[in-house]
Amino acid sequence: MAKSLTLNHGPLALPVFLPDATFGTVRAVDSRDLVEAGMTALVMNVFHLMQRPGSSTIAALGGLHRMAAWDGPIVTDSGGFQAYSLIRNHPKQGRISDQGLVFQPEGAERRFQLTPEKSIQLQLSYGADIVICLDDCTHVDDSPAEQRRSVERTIRWARRCRAEFDRQVAQQKRSGPPPLLFAVVQGGGDLALRAECAAALLEIGFDGFGFGGWPLDAQGQLLSEILAFTRAQIPAQFPMHALGVGHPASVVACVRMGYDIFDSALPTRDARQGRLLAFTADPQRPGFRLTGEWFSYVYLADRKHIKADTPISPGCTCFTCRHYSLGYLHHLHKLGETLALRLATIHNLHFMAQVMELIRRERSAAQPGEV
């Protein structure tokens, strides 16, 4: 199992959680806050970036790293899931064909086209460290015929992405290592299709893989069987990205399955809404494990926090907990002060960084064959 990835903007220790900087920014915080919180890489989204601020603007501003003042690795999501979600919910705003995606979100002045080749071209032009193939996403409850169509299209698109990536990299002069190219395993809830898709993608050849499709069921529960089966189809030496997984318990569960990379807007969205993550005990104490009731939520709006002169979470060393009390954050939250958004976001991201560090520590201490 991979322990780190060698990328152009530095090594990336695994497992790792990536906050969603969808439009080139993590809401409420800047790049210094992200480093302070322990974030080592970001994920950004081609579907959104090609619309706002637009590819020509990104180029004029020096690429994603310079634009966002971020020196670490950046993963760019191809945007397949976002385009699928838009078209599924608003069929008049776009369509999917074998050629690619055409869409015009509400309020947009023009239509956008995203093909496998264009997705690769854009991601490389943005300066991404990990590039993700455009895939044809489905819902886990879609019909068998739709799942079959999605897998076949995803495989065809992956071949086109691989060819365009190789062509682009061969033409470019780079001082560091080339970006890594990940493909996405689709198949919905059909295990046979998942296996078929994984086998075809392995034959094409990629540096890593992602779990395609929404990872939760209708009740919001992790699709553990499908996630575990999909991971098992990919040899352990290849890193695998659990796309969209960000709930702490889900992250830990997926690490046990062998997933290495996680991204989600959940921790930062929760923070802006005043829902903070907290360990139930000091994680630095001997014997602390990520099992049982190891974390809980702290709601800033609760009146019981008015005079709480304590940090948010036991043993937390984030900037927020080192300098501010829970009572003060409650005060800021009730006032609607924007400082509350920043401080809460720093804390939740630091919590996720601590979880990753604890997992890495457990992994390094585990006996052979254990996770």
Side-chain angles (χ1 to χ4, degrees), residues 144-286:
E146 188 64 29
Q147 302 292 2
R148 162 63 62 184
R149 187 159 45 247
S150 165
V151 165
E152 292 176 351
R153 185 175 284 158
T154 292
I155 294 168
R156 289 196 299 270
W157 284 2
R159 289 196 184 96
R160 290 165 59 184
C161 285
R162 175 83 264 178
E164 182 63 20
F165 179 91
D166 292 342
R167 189 180 73 83
Q168 291 282 331
V169 170
Q171 293 177 350
Q172 296 175 357
K173 296 181 180 180
R174 294 178 176 269
S175 57
L180 302 183
L181 181 62
F182 281 32
V184 180
V185 181
Q186 290 291 352
D190 188 320
L191 300 184
L193 280 177
R194 288 275 179 183
E196 180 181 329
C197 188
L201 297 177
L202 283 166
E203 184 177 355
I204 296 169
F206 295 94
D207 301 302
F209 299 85
F211 177 88
W214 190 243
L216 306 176
D217 63 19
Q219 287 72 45
Q221 300 300 309
L222 195 68
L223 294 169
S224 298
E225 180 186 1
I226 300 170
L227 280 154
F229 180 86
T230 303
R231 171 69 261 201
Q233 305 312 301
I234 303 296
Q237 67 264 29
F238 292 103
M240 196 153 183
H241 190 154
L243 293 156
V245 174
H247 186 283
S250 297
V251 168
V252 172
C254 286
V255 166
R256 308 288 190 232
M257 301 174 195
Y259 286 88
D260 307 280
I261 306 173
F262 305 89
D263 79 277
S264 175
L266 182 62
T268 51
R269 184 171 60 244
D270 276 355
R272 296 194 304 273
Q273 295 173 351
R275 185 164 115 150
L276 305 187
L277 295 160
F279 292 104
T280 53
D282 186 343
Q284 302 307 320
R285 289 184 178 178

Side-chain angles (χ1 to χ4, degrees), residues 106 108 112 181 211 260 296-297 359 362 369:
E106 186 175 358
F112 294 87
L181 181 62
F211 177 88
D260 307 280
S296 62
Y297 290 105
I359 292 171
E362 284 186 12

Side-chain angles (χ1 to χ4, degrees), residues 300-318:
L300 287 182
D302 284 356
R303 290 182 57 82
K304 65 181 180 181
H305 301 316
I306 291 177
K307 298 181 180 180
D309 191 21
T310 58
I312 301 163
S313 176
C316 184
T317 58
C318 78

Side-chain angles (χ1 to χ4, degrees), residues 90-165:
H90 307 282
K92 294 183 179 180
Q93 294 184 20
R95 59 183 176 84
I96 302 174
S97 69
D98 287 344
Q99 180 59 27
L101 305 160
V102 177
F103 56 92
Q104 184 171 1
E106 186 175 358
E109 296 180 354
R110 65 181 180 88
R111 294 175 73 83
F112 294 87
Q113 184 178 33
L114 190 61
T115 64
E117 291 80 10
K118 185 172 183 179
S119 178
I120 295 296
Q121 293 162 12
L122 291 176
Q123 292 181 71
L124 291 176
S125 72
Y126 293 165
D129 295 86
I130 296 180
V131 173
I132 299 181
C133 292
L134 185 66
D135 60 301
D136 185 16
C137 187
T138 62
H139 190 277
V140 69
D141 294 329
D142 282 344
S143 68
E146 188 64 29
Q147 302 292 2
R148 162 63 62 184
R149 187 159 45 247
S150 165
V151 165
E152 292 176 351
R153 185 175 284 158
T154 292
I155 294 168
R156 289 196 299 270
W157 284 2
R159 289 196 184 96
R160 290 165 59 184
C161 285
R162 175 83 264 178
E164 182 63 20
F165 179 91

Side-chain angles (χ1 to χ4, degrees), residues 321-342:
C321 287
R322 293 199 317 268
H323 293 89
Y324 301 100
S325 67
L326 178 55
Y328 183 61
L329 265 70
H330 169 84
H331 167 65
L332 294 177
H333 179 74
K334 295 298 287 184
L335 287 176
E337 286 287 344
T338 56
L339 179 58
L341 306 181
R342 173 175 174 254

